[in-house]
Amino acid sequence: MSNADTGMRVAGAWLAIASVLLGLVLIGHGPIHPDLAHQMQVIANGVTLWVVVHWAAAAALSLFVVASLIVLTAGSRLTERWWTLSAWAVVPVGALWTMTTAVVEATTVADAVAANDMARFTTWWAFAEGKANGFMFLCLAVAVIAGNEALSRQQVTPTWTSLVGVVAGLAAFVGWPLGMWFGIGLGSLVWVASSFVMALWTLWFGLGLARAEIGVSTARSARSST
């Protein structure tokens, strides 16, 4: 089995696990309310869930980093072009930025809410929100990766699903600033829903990579033994 085969297989497995976690996180997280006082109350009504969701988000994003680093070092077809190489390089940067947000919201933000300290909550929320901007670039990178898969001759997901991944990634990329920068409630809802669809595509893509490379490696082994 070549290094590229192994890399794609392992990266696909980690990507699939990360996607499952991310999907569950998005279901538990829900959209962000533009009014901070209202958002603080939402968190106060379910602090434990908020903490669990954001630790799970940190784990999911960490696995996205693992998967992308494996892809970047495997030398596979996934990084043959400059735009796909760049997209896979953006994934760990965006994930690491957002992982900082997840940890802050699971610790400092949750503590501020529990103490009903609006001033501390506002300060740390601003920090977390700034770091969370990395997620929209992660979504943009996924859109590029999905677009490349739709055009690939060796695609492991149907073309229509890859195109759905492109649309979902772009919608999440646009929905985030609409909701968080401009305070448009619909934008935050679009971000959550589109990110969930995007996670479904990365799950399908990850499983497809693992299965396809297992099949390729098995076929090569059979030919070598004859």
Side-chain angles (χ1 to χ4, degrees), residues 25-42:
V25 164
L26 290 164
I27 292 173
H29 191 287
I32 299 295
H33 199 280
D35 181 77
L36 283 186
H38 182 90
Q39 181 61 39
M40 186 176 182
Q41 187 58 48
V42 169

Side-chain angles (χ1 to χ4, degrees), residues 169-210:
L170 291 176
F173 175 75
V174 173
W176 175 264
L178 288 178
M180 302 306 294
W181 298 358
F182 303 108
I184 300 173
L186 181 61
S188 186
L189 181 60
V190 168
W191 161 68
V192 172
S194 300
S195 297
F196 181 77
V197 174
M198 182 186 76
L200 291 179
W201 180 78
T202 54
L203 170 60
W204 195 335
F205 181 53
L207 292 174
L209 283 176

Side-chain angles (χ1 to χ4, degrees), residues 43-58:
I43 299 172
N45 292 337
V47 174
T48 301
L49 176 61
W50 182 265
V51 171
V52 170
V53 162
H54 284 85
W55 279 121

Side-chain angles (χ1 to χ4, degrees), residues 126-142:
F127 173 81
E129 184 178 333
K131 295 290 286 185
N133 287 326
F135 190 78
M136 70 177 187
F137 293 104
L138 170 62
C139 294
L140 183 61
V142 170

Side-chain angles (χ1 to χ4, degrees), residues 1-220:
M1 184 184 295
S2 70
N3 182 62
D5 292 339
T6 303
M8 290 177 71
R9 176 182 175 181
V10 175
W14 285 123
L15 183 62
I17 296 171
S19 301
V20 170
L21 279 175
L22 181 60
L24 294 174
V25 164
L26 290 164
I27 292 173
H29 191 287
I32 299 295
H33 199 280
D35 181 77
L36 283 186
H38 182 90
Q39 181 61 39
M40 186 176 182
Q41 187 58 48
V42 169
I43 299 172
N45 292 337
V47 174
T48 301
L49 176 61
W50 182 265
V51 171
V52 170
V53 162
H54 284 85
W55 279 121
L61 292 164
S62 297
L63 294 182
F64 271 101
V65 173
V66 171
S68 59
L69 291 179
I70 293 172
V71 170
L72 287 169
T73 57
S76 70
R77 68 173 180 83
L78 299 181
T79 54
E80 287 178 340
R81 297 176 175 85
W82 69 266
W83 60 85
T84 52
L85 180 60
S86 299
W88 281 105
V90 168
V91 170
V93 176
L96 287 171
W97 268 54
T98 315
M99 186 174 64
T100 305
T101 292
V103 173
V104 167
E105 293 193 6
T107 54
T108 310
V109 168
D111 289 342
V113 170
N116 198 30
D117 188 341
M118 187 63 181
R120 183 154 61 103
F121 172 78
T122 302
T123 299
W124 281 103
W125 185 266
F127 173 81
E129 184 178 333
K131 295 290 286 185
N133 287 326
F135 190 78
M136 70 177 187
F137 293 104
L138 170 62
C139 294
L140 183 61
V142 170
V144 173
I145 293 166
N148 180 70
E149 192 63 19
L151 298 173
S152 175
R153 294 181 179 179
Q154 305 174 53
Q155 57 187 235
V156 296
T157 58
T159 301
W160 71 267
T161 61
S162 297
L163 293 176
V164 169
V166 173
V167 173
L170 291 176
F173 175 75
V174 173
W176 175 264
L178 288 178
M180 302 306 294
W181 298 358
F182 303 108
I184 300 173
L186 181 61
S188 186
L189 181 60
V190 168
W191 161 68
V192 172
S194 300
S195 297
F196 181 77
V197 174
M198 182 186 76
L200 291 179
W201 180 78
T202 54
L203 170 60
W204 195 335
F205 181 53
L207 292 174
L209 283 176
R211 286 197 304 264
E213 294 312 311
I214 290 172
V216 168
S217 300
T218 302
R220 287 175 178 169

